[in-house]
Amino acid sequence: GENVEQHPSTLSVQEGDSAVIKCTYSDSASNYFPWYKQELGKRPQLIIDIRSNVGEKKDQRIAVTLNKTAKHFSLHITETQPEDSAVYFCAASMPGTASKLTFGTGTRLQVTL
Amino acid sequence: EAQVTQNPRYLITVTGKKLTVTCSQNMNHEYMSWYRQDPGLGLRQIYYSMNVEVTDKGDVPEGYKVSRKEKRNFPLILESPSPNQTSLYFCASTDQLAYEQYFGPGTRLTVT
């Protein structure tokens, strides 16, 4: 089955700096790659996703890039703010299996003032 | 309001005492899933369902059962809970067109 590795496990940045979280996946058939944000004590929520026919997607301060050849994808957060502090999870799924999602182990991002 | 609900939100039980965690969604989604979240291990899928009466194992199905008799409900059953099933459990339903998973609020289970 699919295996998703995520790095780093913790990341501390100063407010205003950029943060990058990286994930690799094992199954080249995977074609959908979402990122979820989980604030302390809350449920995970989708923040951005990308499909394998696209190399990059941006939404205001966040962006995701995908390298299908290398089987890795990354989350980029620019101009970080304290409210960006949370745990971020990457995930991957294969065609026709929107419900079968394999998650990475998460990155705890701390934005310091 | 579109939502996924879970009950109970907190549960402390003893080894071997059967329990059910309910999950319900009001978005008419066909796909639903159960995950457990443990520190350092992220979210691991237990079971998923792509339609009524259609369920399949996720990555960590041992010790769990599910049923999908109605589109809106997807209960998680622990027939004989053990301490290693102490975890935070999330139910999710999926918009099959957009692929976005909507998570419930979570159920914190402690098995002593």
Side-chain angles (χ1 to χ4, degrees):
Chain A
E2 175 67 279
N3 182 51
V4 177
E5 295 191 358
Q6 183 172 347
H7 299 280
S9 57
T10 60
L11 179 58
S12 183
V13 300
Q14 285 198 322
E15 183 179 5
D17 287 351
S18 295
V20 180
I21 302 170
K22 299 182 179 181
C23 289
T24 60
Y25 60 99
S26 61
D27 197 323
S28 57
S30 289
N31 71 338
Y32 174 67
F33 308 94
W35 287 88
Y36 283 80
K37 175 183 180 181
Q38 186 179 29
E39 296 176 354
L40 190 62
K42 301 284 182 65
R43 70 193 79 186
Q45 290 191 298
L46 180 71
I47 56 170
I48 195 167
D49 57 12
I50 193 167
R51 296 177 192 270
S52 60
N53 58 346
V54 175
E56 182 176 2
K57 184 177 179 180
K58 294 179 80 170
D59 183 2
Q60 299 182 348
R61 295 186 298 107
I62 60 173
V64 56
T65 58
L66 171 65
N67 183 327
K68 287 171 56 180
T69 303
K71 291 189 286 187
H72 68 70
F73 56 112
S74 301
L75 178 71
H76 304 253
I77 306 174
T78 59
E79 301 171 20
T80 53
Q81 301 168 3
E83 52 264 39
D84 294 328
S85 295
V87 178
Y88 292 81
F89 292 98
C90 62
S93 76
M94 284 187 257
T97 61
S99 212
K100 180 73 177 79
L101 206 56
T102 300
F103 282 85
T105 51
T107 296
R108 182 173 298 280
L109 174 64
Q110 182 71 44
V111 180
T112 58
L113 298 173
Chain B
E1 180 192 353
Q3 60 181 348
V4 179
T5 57
Q6 292 178 230
N7 282 291
R9 296 288 313 281
Y10 302 91
L11 179 60
I12 300 174
T13 189
V14 296
T15 299
K17 186 176 181 182
K18 181 179 178 179
L19 66 92
T20 299
V21 184
T22 64
C23 173
S24 183
Q25 51 97 2
N26 63 0
M27 294 170 279
N28 202 36
H29 289 163
E30 290 191 356
Y31 298 174
M32 297 184 74
S33 304
W34 275 103
Y35 296 89
R36 61 177 290 172
Q37 184 175 18
D38 302 289
L41 297 177
L43 291 152
R44 294 180 293 167
Q45 194 170 50
I46 302 170
Y47 270 94
Y48 63 101
S49 170
M50 297 179 75
N51 212 329
V52 174
E53 303 290 1
V54 180
T55 63
D56 208 346
K57 296 177 180 178
D59 298 316
V60 288
E62 295 77 21
Y64 304 94
K65 285 176 58 177
V66 293
S67 69
R68 188 90 181 277
K69 292 183 169 52
E70 304 167 281
K71 196 173 187 178
R72 63 183 291 124
N73 297 323
F74 191 41
L76 179 69
I77 303 155
L78 284 71
E79 295 268 3
S80 183
S82 62
N84 65 11
Q85 293 177 299
T86 292
S87 187
L88 177 60
Y89 290 87
F90 286 101
C91 177
S93 73
T94 306
D95 178 332
Q96 66 189 90
L97 293 178
Y99 273 42
E100 178 173 356
Q101 296 212 2
Y102 295 83
F103 285 84
T107 295
R108 187 165 293 282
L109 172 66
T110 302
V111 183
T112 62

